[in-house]
Amino acid sequence: MENLDQLRSDVLQRVSESETLEALDGVRVQALGKKGEITGLMKTLGGLDPEARKAAGQALNVVKQEVADAIEQRKAVLEEAALEAKLAEERIDVSLPARPAHVGRMHPISQTMEELVAIFGEMGFSVAQGPHIEDDFHNFTALNIPPEHPARQEFDTFYMNEKEDGSRPVLRTHTSPVQIRTMQNAEPPIRIIAPGRTFRADHDATHSPMFHQIEGLVIDTETNMGHLKGTLIEFCRSYFGVDDLPVRFRPSFFPFTEPSAEVDIGCTREGGQLKIGAGDDWLEILGSGMVHPKVLEACGIDSTKYQGFAFGMGVERIAMLKYGIPDLRTFYESDLRWMKHYGFVPLEMPSMVRGL
Ligand code: DAH
């Protein structure tokens, strides 16, 4: 028992020097465990006489309590420190700048299509669609291009395998079959545009086997050539953003319109540089005409009661002209450098990543 004071201060020192919860538990076991130092002393009490046992027992109990309290306190301190360390380690630095969100570019074809839909939408046209794989009737015959008609040769048509009934579906060579489908399914008045993919077996700097067209169709009782001209002049000026853009209607031929006109816009080509606007040169941009009575009749529309106009143009071509893109093939090469140069930054959309 003489050593009790010494043991007390030893154990308390070991407690206060414990740097981890594991080390502290080791100290506890060493002092108060079954075979611990203080427990060992407790066991020696039995050998003392009653007087001495009482005094020594009390003294031991005080030390035991003191050591237990010190361990509890140290434990609280170490637990707090462990929590602090964990929090510090897991801290999120909210002041770090966010990683930049990469915004993709809109392809010039998508952009141009949107512009076309917006311009004609303002004039009261709605958008119609049709299948890419067409039958002969919609792509040719109903458009007044009967079998053996020489106009069929001009189209470089992609034919599909023959079906059981002997017919051969085609990849549509123009968006004009959407005119036919619309007239078969809707009562006039009709005022639609049909933007979409078209296919021809042709590939060079100004032709791609897959390309885009936009078709327009207006059918009503009074629709005349003046409406055709007014609509297309308005369209050309709006699309190219030139208020006084000269627009010329040149007589032409299409099997599905009569009369037919090709539309040219004014331009200059000084120094090899094409500039759209007033000038002494002309550039062809689309085909148009009054819908042929045979086309109306093929769709079950009474050509003595209704008439209208139609037009069609190549989307790549007018995109190339407006945005100065020299080679049509580059539209479909998926070259990211090209997209960064000619692509459009889409409208800012609220996003959860970049914040509202
Ligand atoms: N379908 C014609 C083509 O692909 C373009 C065209 C010309 C469409 C005159 C029309 C039109 O609707 O009236 O070459």
Side-chain angles (χ1 to χ4, degrees), residues 174 176 179 200 213 215 254 256-257 287-289 310-312:
H174 48 180
S176 302
Q179 285 188 33
R200 289 183 202 176
Q213 285 190 342
E215 191 81 12
F254 299 104
F256 31 88
T257 47
S288 68
F311 56 89

Side-chain angles (χ1 to χ4, degrees), residues 211-287:
F211 60 106
H212 297 78
Q213 285 190 342
I214 183 165
E215 191 81 12
L217 176 71
V218 175
I219 304 288
D220 208 337
T221 49
E222 309 283 323
T223 309
N224 59 44
M225 193 82 187
H227 296 124
L228 178 158
K229 291 178 77 174
T231 304
L232 294 178
I233 292 171
E234 176 65 25
F235 160 72
C236 292
R237 294 184 172 167
S238 173
Y239 175 73
F240 288 103
V242 181
D243 285 346
D244 56 355
L245 180 68
V247 179
R248 179 174 82 168
F249 291 79
R250 187 167 32 79
S252 183
F253 172 79
F254 299 104
F256 31 88
T257 47
E258 185 59 36
S260 303
E262 276 174 302
V263 178
D264 300 338
I265 55 173
C267 67
T268 54
R269 287 193 174 88
E270 270 157 35
Q273 265 270 37
L274 178 74
K275 203 167 157 261
I276 287 160
D280 51 12
D281 225 342
W282 296 99
L283 193 70
E284 180 202 321
I285 62 158
L286 62 91

Side-chain angles (χ1 to χ4, degrees), residues 131-257:
H132 294 163
I133 299 174
E134 266 298 0
D135 53 48
D136 188 277
F137 177 77
H138 290 91
N139 196 78
F140 294 121
T141 308
L143 286 159
N144 196 28
I145 314 174
E148 316 308 328
H149 191 285
R152 289 203 179 198
Q153 260 87 69
E154 286 164 31
F155 277 116
D156 301 310
T157 310
F158 283 116
Y159 285 92
M160 316 278 291
N161 289 339
E162 218 170 82
K163 297 212 291 198
E164 273 170 18
D165 63 7
S167 66
R168 287 181 87 186
V170 298
L171 291 183
R172 69 179 183 193
T173 57
H174 48 180
T175 43
S176 302
V178 186
Q179 285 188 33
I180 304 303
R181 291 183 179 276
T182 305
M183 287 190 278
Q184 284 176 323
N185 295 313
E187 289 286 310
I190 291 169
R191 193 178 294 169
I192 57 110
I193 49 167
R197 290 184 181 175
T198 46
F199 308 86
R200 289 183 202 176
D202 213 350
H203 190 47
D204 61 32
T206 50
H207 297 92
S208 147
M210 189 285 295
F211 60 106
H212 297 78
Q213 285 190 342
I214 183 165
E215 191 81 12
L217 176 71
V218 175
I219 304 288
D220 208 337
T221 49
E222 309 283 323
T223 309
N224 59 44
M225 193 82 187
H227 296 124
L228 178 158
K229 291 178 77 174
T231 304
L232 294 178
I233 292 171
E234 176 65 25
F235 160 72
C236 292
R237 294 184 172 167
S238 173
Y239 175 73
F240 288 103
V242 181
D243 285 346
D244 56 355
L245 180 68
V247 179
R248 179 174 82 168
F249 291 79
R250 187 167 32 79
S252 183
F253 172 79
F254 299 104
F256 31 88
T257 47

